Amino acid sequence: MGRIIVLDQNMINMIAAGEVIERPASVVKELMENSIDAGAAKITVSIEDGGRKLISVADNGCGMDAEDLAYAFESHATSKIRTSSDLRTISTLGFRGEALASIASVAQVKAVSRVKDSTAANCIEIDCGNKGTVSPCSADYGTTVQIRDLFYKLPARRKFLKTANTEMDHITEHFIRIALANDDLDMTLIHNGRELYRLPSKEGLRRRIAELFSSEIAENLIETEGSEKKLHISALLGRPDISKTSNKFQYIFLNGRFIRDKFISHAIKEAYRGVLEADRFPVVFLFIQIPCEDYDVNVHPTKIEVRFYNANLVHSQILGCLREKLLAVNLDVDAKLPKAAASASLSQRQKISEAMADFFKRHRPIQAQQQLGFHKISADSNRTYQTPSEALRAPAIERTEKDATSDMDYTLDAHKFLQIHDSFIVAQVDDGFVIIDQHALHERIMYEDLCRRIQRGKLESQKLLIPESFELSPAQADAIEANSELIEKLGIELVPFGPKTAAIQAFPTLLAKAAPLDFVQDLMDLLVDKAAMLDGERLLEEVLSLAACKAAIKAGQRLSDNEIEHLLADKETIERASRCPHGRPTTIKFSLSEMEKQFKRT
Ligand SMILES: Nc1ncnc2c1ncn2[C@@H]1O[C@H](COP(=O)(O)OP(=O)(O)OP(=O)(O)O)[C@@H](O)[C@H]1O
Ligand SMILES: [Mg+2]
């Protein structure tokens, strides 16, 4: 009896602060969000000692009069919602009326504010929940909130703060998120008197990204936009060659609010499938606008998660918009030539020049090369070359569908090419040259061809003269049975051949270059490992990608001019030619202008 008491308001606020105010960065986020909600055009954030000593956020927003200033630090005090129906249409970043009260319960706070049409400012001080009175003072219009000695009465919380640099990293991350979502704002971040970021308004998002991250990232972003069914998407999509090892560089904004959302992250991953290796994460800046009543932001104390009422629609529209763009653009990798060619040593420069000069010396029209017997297949060679018709089932792509999907933004010169190390093809394009990985490109060509053909029905197959038999494990036998339809579609005929044994009787014509037994073994491994986890479409993609890899010409395989011509012609007609089905690049481009720069011609 008598053990239960109702906590006083200050205690309630301190507990609430535990939810919202985890560290200095949370304070910075809440104060900056208030400035944005107040319509500020300029925000200056000054930090001392990683936020432990001081956090100050100054804005030129609408400001508060004396009465509002006194209320602002009360819990559940907000100007942003009034009735329960407002909760369904929240268009401001804040609405809980808790941030300032929570912050003021765990630190020393001073706030100064002046509304635009008033000549006088007011200020208030609160020390860990003990509120002083509002008094007049002089200040410019807008609001400045200063937080000193965060958690000073909570040694346990203070102890958990990390070094100033680590806390500053967290603060910077929040600053970056807000800066990306509000590129029309003038924003500054200062630490211990040193300006870390000074971001003028109206310089554009790309410029801002260059300042916040790097010009390499800013220069390698593809812009896209889409609007459908009340959902507007605008995005800057990182090219695959600036991908990262984590999803830290995926910035998703919903109506100006940074959010994390597993559906959207999944849509992004799916959009890049086949464009990027499976273990890499793209750099993405994604801005979504949807009506406020189509999602609920009141599901997480820091509002970093929201609940979409129609998450499937959001997922499919984002996936569609991003994927369409990624398929349409040329994703060839731009060669990274040494930046400091000017300061390179003489011998380095000589080496580059020699390599380039050598390339151009040998880079003659194809007729001349043929007269010289240039990389022609010689009968007396002890290599086992494939004939053109074998290696490249020419033409792999049916020309009737030509041109519809090419993503190349340059023209290949059909006659100026050269195979090097029996693995790469160097070819001239209108504004430079490209180096193509012959296996990767042919793999993509085979893959696209296989996809197209299998959409129309079963792949054409041919009977093997002598059926190839092999042993089956029980798991493999099960996988064959469970996927019999898929195996049949591929044009593979498997028949039982005694206990625990099966035989391959027919094999797809298109995969003539793959050894049937080898391919079927790999196919069974894939089915055993993945069939249960993947849906039908994904499984088919994996299977076709395996088939393409097995059937494609290999590195180390010498090609005839005719074969190379076919490869180059196919490159111009297929989708996603700049990436192999696993997402690795097929082509690296060297631009003429970059070469001229390197050779000091400009
Ligand atoms: N920089 C500012 N300029 C003008 N008014 C402000 C500013 N900061 C706070 N306010 C006022 O003080 C109120 C309380 O702010 P507080 O951050 O505690 O709550 P909120 O923003 O309404 O909701 P939330 O707790 O979700 O942030 C706001 O609703 C707003 O009216
Ligand atoms: Mg707020």
Side-chain angles (χ1 to χ4, degrees):
M1 289 291 275
R3 287 183 301 121
I4 299 177
I5 56 157
V6 176
L7 298 174
D8 67 28
Q9 192 58 49
N10 205 18
M11 282 295 289
I12 295 172
N13 290 348
M14 282 169 88
I15 291 166
E19 271 189 348
V20 187
I21 310 302
E22 191 197 343
R23 58 190 342 145
S26 342
V27 176
V28 173
K29 169 185 182 280
E30 293 298 336
L31 297 182
M32 290 183 78
E33 288 189 352
N34 279 349
S35 299
I36 287 165
D37 284 345
K42 181 174 179 192
I43 304 177
T44 305
V45 182
S46 303
I47 308 292
E48 279 177 31
D49 193 18
R52 214 181 287 245
K53 200 164 161 204
L54 174 77
I55 297 166
S56 162
V57 175
D59 67 52
N60 62 354
C62 65
M64 287 173 274
D65 62 17
E67 192 186 350
D68 279 352
L69 193 57
Y71 267 134
F73 292 87
E74 296 293 326
S75 51
H76 315 303
T78 180
S79 58
K80 299 170 193 175
I81 54 169
R82 281 181 194 273
T83 63
S84 60
S85 64
D86 293 341
L87 261 184
R88 274 176 265 130
T89 54
I90 291 163
S91 60
T92 46
L93 295 171
F95 62 89
R96 292 161 50 106
E98 270 194 299
L100 289 184
S102 299
I103 294 168
S105 71
V106 293
Q108 288 190 43
V109 177
K110 181 176 181 188
V112 179
S113 196
R114 182 179 139 195
V115 291
K116 271 192 185 153
D117 49 11
S118 165
T119 49
N122 293 290
C123 71
I124 188 169
E125 288 190 30
I126 302 129
D127 181 3
C128 278
N130 295 319
K131 204 160 89 171
T133 50
V134 175
S135 53
C137 65
S138 85
D140 209 350
Y141 67 79
T143 305
T144 300
V145 183
Q146 291 183 333
I147 315 295
R148 287 185 192 278
D149 299 326
L150 185 66
F151 302 139
Y152 84 101
K153 281 194 184 162
L154 299 167
R157 299 283 306 271
R158 202 164 162 92
K159 215 170 69 194
F160 274 104
L161 295 183
K162 301 281 187 295
T163 62
N165 281 343
T166 305
E167 294 302 335
M168 206 52 214
D169 280 352
H170 289 285
I171 291 172
T172 305
E173 180 58 27
H174 282 287
F175 180 87
I176 286 174
R177 291 173 187 175
I178 292 176
L180 287 170
N182 299 278
D183 66 338
D184 51 337
L185 291 196
D186 190 316
M187 294 176 56
T188 308
L189 177 63
I190 298 164
H191 187 215
N192 293 340
R194 198 167 67 88
E195 214 171 75
L196 300 186
Y197 294 105
R198 165 93 188 78
L199 308 171
S201 59
K202 301 196 191 81
E203 56 174 9
L205 184 57
R206 215 179 262 264
R207 178 86 214 102
R208 186 158 278 201
I209 289 172
E211 286 180 39
L212 291 171
F213 302 99
S214 67
S215 45
E216 195 206 3
I217 288 188
E219 283 161 14
N220 283 289
L221 297 170
I222 303 155
E223 254 172 79
T224 187
E225 245 185 307
S227 233
E228 214 184 316
K229 297 191 187 109
K230 299 193 287 181
L231 176 85
H232 180 81
I233 299 165
S234 94
L236 289 172
L237 307 173
R239 291 180 167 276
D241 36 317
I242 56 160
S243 66
K244 305 284 176 192
T245 51
S246 81
N247 67 355
K248 190 174 173 290
F249 287 78
Q250 274 172 30
Y251 287 89
I252 306 166
F253 299 93
L254 172 65
N255 292 349
R257 182 192 308 282
F258 175 87
I259 57 161
R260 291 228 177 272
D261 185 274
K262 58 178 191 313
F263 277 102
I264 297 179
S265 297
H266 182 263
I268 293 175
K269 193 168 182 340
E270 284 291 289
Y272 273 83
R273 189 148 51 81
V275 171
L276 200 61
E277 292 100 297
D279 58 348
R280 306 285 299 177
F281 293 85
V283 173
V284 170
F285 302 96
L286 176 64
F287 301 86
I288 311 158
Q289 303 280 340
I290 69 172
C292 305
E293 56 270 19
D294 287 355
Y295 65 95
D296 186 0
V297 61
N298 191 20
V299 292
H300 191 275
T302 64
K303 307 155 193 141
I304 197 162
E305 282 168 25
V306 299
R307 189 183 296 129
F308 291 103
Y309 295 132
N310 195 343
N312 287 340
L313 190 72
V314 173
H315 181 277
S316 70
Q317 275 182 236
I318 292 175
L319 172 58
C321 174
L322 270 48
R323 185 127 188 100
E324 196 178 306
K325 187 70 191 186
L326 288 169
L327 293 186
V329 294
N330 172 33
L331 295 174
D332 285 355
V333 176
D334 273 333
K336 293 187 181 72
L337 293 180
K339 266 225 172 71
S343 58
S345 68
L346 187 64
S347 67
Q348 265 176 315
R349 260 185 287 158
Q350 246 163 9
K351 266 190 204 157
I352 297 170
S353 314
E354 278 164 16
M356 295 290 188
D358 194 36
F359 166 70
F360 282 108
K361 204 163 65 202
R362 294 194 285 142
H363 200 177
R364 274 171 284 208
I366 195 71
Q367 290 82 351
Q369 289 169 3
Q370 279 174 340
Q371 277 160 20
L372 293 170
F374 178 70
H375 75 58
K376 269 196 147 175
I377 298 173
S378 57
D380 58 358
S381 160
N382 52 12
R383 283 184 65 98
T384 52
Y385 297 124
Q386 292 165 339
T387 65
S389 54
E390 275 176 338
L392 288 163
R393 299 183 47 77
I397 302 299
E398 291 171 16
R399 306 280 168 211
T400 44
E401 296 177 42
K402 193 176 165 155
D403 267 344
T405 52
S406 167
D407 62 9
M408 276 176 23
D409 54 5
Y410 51 75
T411 316
L412 278 159
D413 186 324
H415 301 298
K416 289 193 176 172
F417 55 74
L418 160 77
Q419 186 188 29
I420 56 171
H421 296 284
D422 292 346
S423 297
F424 301 98
I425 294 154
V426 181
Q428 179 165 316
V429 300
D430 42 7
D431 59 343
F433 70 95
V434 290
I435 301 182
I436 293 168
D437 177 332
Q438 63 189 40
H439 171 69
L441 175 59
H442 195 221
E443 213 180 346
R444 167 59 76 190
I445 292 169
M446 291 296 296
Y447 177 81
E448 294 295 328
D449 197 21
L450 283 165
C451 287
R452 238 178 271 205
R453 284 172 195 258
I454 212 151
Q455 260 172 18
R456 291 198 214 121
K458 180 175 166 306
L459 292 184
E460 187 191 314
S461 66
Q462 62 192 32
K463 293 264 182 225
L464 297 189
L465 280 178
I466 307 160
E468 291 197 43
S469 63
F470 56 98
E471 275 189 27
L472 276 180
S473 72
Q476 288 174 328
D478 285 352
I480 290 179
E481 203 184 316
N483 297 284
S484 56
E485 211 178 303
L486 170 65
I487 295 172
E488 200 197 319
K489 240 185 149 191
L490 286 171
I492 299 174
E493 238 176 77
L494 292 180
V495 290
F497 201 70
K500 294 192 210 157
T501 312
I504 311 166
Q505 278 200 318
F507 198 66
T509 325
L510 205 59
L511 305 186
K513 279 337 292 163
L517 192 53
D518 182 36
F519 176 72
V520 170
Q521 294 281 9
D522 282 359
L523 175 65
M524 284 189 309
D525 287 348
L526 192 153
L527 294 177
V528 169
D529 289 350
K530 297 196 176 165
M533 282 154 36
L534 301 176
D535 63 29
E537 195 190 333
R538 285 294 307 277
L539 183 65
L540 183 62
E541 281 180 21
E542 292 261 346
V543 168
L544 295 185
S545 156
L546 173 73
C549 181
K550 292 278 169 193
I553 50 168
K554 304 279 177 289
Q557 187 172 333
R558 188 164 300 177
L559 302 178
S560 70
D561 294 340
N562 195 328
E563 289 169 313
I564 296 174
E565 275 168 15
H566 272 304
L567 257 188
L568 298 182
D570 284 344
K571 177 169 168 53
E572 288 185 299
T573 62
I574 56 161
E575 257 186 10
R576 294 177 282 180
S578 48
R579 299 273 144 180
C580 81
H582 312 287
R584 288 188 289 272
T586 63
T587 311
I588 299 175
K589 186 177 164 204
F590 293 74
S591 73
L592 213 48
S593 61
E594 180 61 26
M595 283 189 287
E596 280 167 353
K597 221 167 25 182
Q598 296 283 330
F599 284 112
K600 306 265 161 254
R601 281 170 161 270
T602 51

